[in-house]
Amino acid sequence: MVLKSTSSTNHTVYQISGSNTSRSLPDWVARKRRRDLKNDSEYASRIELIQDFEFSEASNKIKVSADGNYAMATGTYKPQIHVYDFAELSLKFARHTDAENVDFIILSDDWTKSVHLQNDRSIELHAQGGIHTRTRIPKFGRAMAYRYSNCDLYVGASGNEIYRLNLDQGRFLSPMDLGTEITGCNCLDINPAHGLLAFGLENNTVQFWDPRSRTKLIQMDMDNDAEDGGNLGTGAGITALKFRSDGLSLAVGTSAGQTVLYDLRSPNPLLRKEQGYGLPVNKLIWIEGDRDGSESTVRVLSSDKRIAKIWDAEGGKPYTAFEPSVDINDVTHIPDTGMFFLANEGMPMHTYFIPSLGPAPSWCSFIENVTEELEEAPVTTVYDNYKFVTRKELAALGLGHLLGTNVVRSYMHGYFLDIRLYEQAKLISNPFAYQEHREREIRKKIDKERESRIRTSSKLSVKVNKGLAEKLASAAEKKTMRAAREARIMAKAKAATEVHEMDSDADVNGGAAAPASGGQTSLLDDRFKTVFEDPEFEVDENTVEFQQLNPTRSSKTGEAVSRARPDSDEEDFDDDNNDY
């Protein structure tokens, strides 16, 4: 069996279904090329986890029922609803609708009851036998939330009101007025612990309401926290909301690609996480626990239309990510497992499995055996043929215009680039790179052979930065002569007392010779050896920075030093004669 895997971190992600293109192989092509495909090992060993797990054009939303036995998805074209039975690993039925779906909620534990928000301002209630009833709202809806305790359905729309439809009474209730300055509600969520309502608005604020008194409790303004406070309009502001099951934590996604974690007891954010592409966050999921059964481990899945990332909720440390080649519309997680479903702009819906995050669902436990075999015999990962580059390196190659496209994949502080494109761009930007590399290697071999030759000790044995070496040698020599001069003065003082003259002569010779070795060690220290050998460390004296640091430096400094040395030596010789 062939499973495409990515292991950019220590956690392997397996792609069970879906493809890297927006179009799969049509049935008529498969029938026409049946003989050729019979010999294709990759096509013959493909895995089709759930049959017909696709739509004719694209999928909009996907969710798993509360009992974990069914999955419901909506897509186009034509607008339709698919229900998949996990026990049979196949499509249970497909139901067509009059308009494209915006959002839906499964009301029952299985698939039999659901409510659908359509893009023609209609709300459809579906039962086991088909559509049960249909109603309309005054403005175009964007998101829904259902409160099971009192059967209230909350609908966020493009206006400044939250519409309430009570499914028990079968009628609309008085809407919630968000304020005259509000132009639309993008998302909403209900706290599973105490029922607090949260509305994500276009003006970059989050309003919290009490469903019992139907009054606004507080409004949290994120203009001071997020970077997209001035980005208003349709789809701007807060684009995703999700409460954690503990009733205290809240994840907020913005249109600038930021995910912010809050504690309801404090207005200050706990953590801020960037998606990397600057695209609106369209889905947030709290993932509690891992395969080891540790309930204290809490992670967050945040996704935009390009990538879905999983990271730790405490410190924001990246856990893993999956990035399909088509735009992501929705993500759902099967609880207590490591499997995820993705609704996207391609025909097949994607399925990802992360063994380190949780086991495979009971209805596809055979996936565990397949992944264990692949772990024993690793296959080529997706990023093996990619080169990691930073933004600065990408601009140096002349490929900065590819940011935001499928060619460049964002990862950590840089990007992954196809190795073939990288080599071609590098060759175009520097066509003489190979020739320079060859000349550099030849020069290294020649220099290595020259090291074995006999050299005179009068000259400095350096390859680069000769001016710096001469400056250091001159400073060391001056220090040596200064120490010798001080030693001679001390010797004169001792000779004046006429005590231990032989000891004074020995002190003079020892004091003058000792600093000489110390001056040479400062130049020949192994820690700075590469400064005088590696051409990469050569100081360019023609740069503006060097000239600013050395404004009065003469080009004949070395000659001046050489002329000064004989004079100083002669002076020292005269001093020695005067001493005796």
Side-chain angles (χ1 to χ4, degrees):
M1 293 184 178
V2 177
L3 285 181
K4 296 180 180 179
S5 63
T6 57
S7 57
S8 56
T9 60
N10 296 328
H11 310 283
T12 306
V13 180
Y14 294 96
Q15 182 179 347
I16 306 299
S17 65
S19 62
N20 291 330
T21 59
S22 59
R23 290 290 185 271
S24 61
L25 194 63
D27 294 337
W28 63 272
V29 175
R31 290 192 299 269
K32 186 176 180 180
R33 299 177 53 193
R34 184 174 302 174
R35 291 185 179 180
D36 297 337
L37 294 174
K38 186 182 298 184
N39 299 326
D40 191 343
S41 59
E42 183 175 357
Y43 181 80
S45 60
R46 72 190 187 281
I47 292 181
E48 192 173 359
L49 182 63
I50 301 176
Q51 293 184 2
D52 299 326
F53 198 61
E54 61 181 13
F55 283 87
S56 303
E57 191 68 27
S59 50
N60 298 330
K61 295 285 184 177
I62 183 170
K63 294 182 181 180
V64 179
S65 60
D67 58 7
N69 296 326
Y70 302 94
M72 180 178 291
T74 60
T76 191
Y77 180 82
K78 300 177 179 179
Q80 51 191 300
I81 304 171
H82 286 185
V83 174
Y84 298 92
D85 189 350
F86 291 153
E88 301 295 335
L89 296 178
S90 62
L91 176 67
K92 188 174 183 66
F93 68 86
R95 183 178 297 169
H96 290 261
T97 58
D98 297 334
E100 190 173 346
N101 181 258
V102 176
D103 194 9
F104 73 91
I105 299 175
I106 302 177
L107 302 177
S108 59
D109 292 338
D110 54 6
W111 61 271
T112 53
K113 295 180 181 179
S114 61
V115 56
H116 298 258
L117 176 64
Q118 308 296 87
N119 65 354
D120 62 347
R121 298 190 293 113
S122 64
I123 298 177
E124 296 183 356
L125 282 85
H126 287 252
Q128 187 172 2
I131 182 171
H132 179 71
T133 185
R134 180 188 291 111
T135 185
R136 293 174 69 87
I137 55 178
K139 296 185 178 180
F140 290 96
R142 298 181 181 179
M144 294 191 305
Y146 183 70
R147 190 164 181 243
Y148 290 88
S149 59
N150 59 356
C151 301
D152 276 353
L153 178 68
Y154 301 91
V155 183
S158 58
N160 62 342
E161 293 180 335
I162 300 296
Y163 303 109
R164 293 194 303 144
L165 175 61
N166 188 277
L167 301 185
D168 183 28
Q169 302 177 20
R171 65 187 181 92
F172 279 99
L173 304 179
S174 58
M176 297 178 175
D177 190 359
L178 302 177
T180 57
E181 72 280 1
I182 305 301
T183 58
C185 176
N186 295 327
C187 54
L188 62 159
D189 193 26
I190 301 176
N191 196 305
H194 43 71
L196 181 67
L197 299 176
F199 305 134
L201 308 178
E202 279 187 354
N203 63 346
N204 218 32
T205 60
V206 179
Q207 290 188 8
F208 297 94
W209 285 63
D210 187 352
R212 299 166 299 180
S213 60
R214 296 181 298 279
T215 56
K216 181 174 68 174
L217 300 177
I218 192 173
Q219 177 172 306
M220 182 174 62
D221 191 354
M222 298 187 62
D223 286 348
N224 298 326
D225 298 332
E227 298 178 357
D228 62 338
N231 183 18
L232 303 179
T234 303
I238 309 302
T239 56
L241 285 174
K242 189 62 179 178
F243 281 106
R244 189 183 165 193
S245 58
D246 63 351
L248 297 176
S249 302
L250 173 66
V252 181
T254 68
S255 59
Q258 286 187 348
T259 301
V260 189
L261 302 185
Y262 286 93
D263 191 311
L264 295 181
R265 297 167 292 185
S266 173
N268 300 322
L270 300 177
L271 181 66
R272 191 187 311 279
K273 187 71 175 178
E274 291 280 353
Q275 284 292 109
Y277 287 105
L279 300 173
V281 177
N282 56 23
K283 189 70 174 184
L284 293 172
I285 300 176
W286 291 89
I287 304 174
E288 302 188 19
D290 52 15
R291 194 179 184 106
D292 298 333
S294 176
E295 297 294 338
S296 60
T297 304
V298 181
R299 298 182 178 91
V300 178
L301 181 144
S302 58
S303 71
D304 54 20
K305 70 176 185 179
R306 290 293 306 277
I307 188 172
K309 294 183 177 182
I310 302 176
W311 39 278
D312 293 340
E314 293 184 359
K317 180 180 179 182
Y319 184 78
T320 189
F322 34 89
E323 185 176 4
S325 58
V326 291
D327 293 346
I328 302 173
N329 292 329
D330 192 22
V331 183
T332 188
H333 173 231
I334 301 179
D336 302 326
T337 68
M339 185 164 289
F340 298 84
F341 292 146
L342 269 70
N344 50 74
E345 289 297 325
M347 287 179 59
M349 290 183 288
H350 288 63
T351 304
Y352 289 92
F353 177 57
I354 307 175
S356 61
L357 198 61
S362 58
W363 48 270
C364 62
S365 57
F366 59 88
I367 295 295
E368 292 277 0
N369 300 329
V370 177
T371 55
E372 288 178 0
E373 294 177 0
L374 293 177
E375 290 289 344
E376 296 175 358
V379 296
T380 303
T381 59
V382 171
Y383 290 110
D384 283 350
N385 297 325
Y386 283 78
K387 173 70 175 179
F388 181 81
V389 295
T390 61
R391 181 184 290 268
K392 184 177 180 180
E393 294 174 347
L394 198 66
L397 294 173
L399 301 178
H401 62 282
L402 296 178
L403 290 175
T405 63
N406 292 331
V407 180
V408 180
R409 299 171 181 265
S410 174
Y411 179 71
M412 295 179 67
H413 64 282
Y415 304 90
F416 274 113
L417 186 67
D418 191 283
I419 188 65
R420 295 170 295 179
L421 178 60
Y422 172 79
E423 292 176 352
Q424 292 179 2
K426 188 176 181 181
L427 182 61
I428 294 174
S429 61
N430 188 7
F432 302 102
Y434 175 74
Q435 184 177 357
E436 294 176 357
H437 173 72
R438 186 172 180 272
E439 293 177 356
R440 190 162 49 250
E441 293 295 328
I442 294 174
R443 194 180 303 110
K444 286 183 180 179
K445 290 183 179 180
I446 295 175
D447 294 340
K448 188 176 182 181
E449 293 177 356
R450 288 178 178 175
E451 291 179 356
S452 60
R453 299 179 182 179
I454 300 175
R455 300 182 181 183
T456 60
S457 58
S458 60
K459 296 182 179 180
L460 297 174
S461 58
V462 295
K463 300 177 183 178
V464 295
N465 295 328
K466 293 184 179 180
L468 178 61
E470 292 177 357
K471 183 178 179 180
L472 293 176
S474 176
E477 188 174 357
K478 289 181 180 179
K479 184 178 180 181
T480 303
M481 291 187 294
R482 189 181 303 110
R485 188 178 296 107
E486 292 177 356
R488 285 194 297 270
I489 295 173
M490 293 177 62
K492 290 179 181 179
K494 291 182 179 180
T497 58
E498 295 180 354
V499 178
H500 305 293
E501 293 182 357
M502 298 301 295
D503 295 340
S504 300
D505 295 339
D507 292 339
V508 170
N509 295 332
S517 60
Q520 291 295 330
T521 54
S522 62
L523 181 60
L524 302 177
D525 196 335
D526 292 337
R527 295 176 298 174
F528 309 102
K529 186 178 180 181
T530 55
V531 177
F532 304 101
E533 294 182 357
D534 193 350
E536 297 292 335
F537 292 94
E538 185 176 2
V539 177
D540 188 1
E541 300 182 359
N542 297 324
T543 59
V544 178
E545 292 81 1
F546 183 85
Q547 294 176 1
Q548 290 177 349
L549 294 175
N550 304 272
T552 60
R553 184 177 182 272
S554 175
S555 60
K556 298 182 179 181
T557 306
E559 298 179 1
V561 172
S562 62
R563 289 197 302 269
R565 287 176 184 171
D567 299 338
S568 60
D569 293 342
E570 185 178 355
E571 181 183 355
D572 296 338
F573 180 77
D574 295 339
D575 293 340
D576 294 340
N577 293 335
N578 295 331
D579 294 342
Y580 298 98

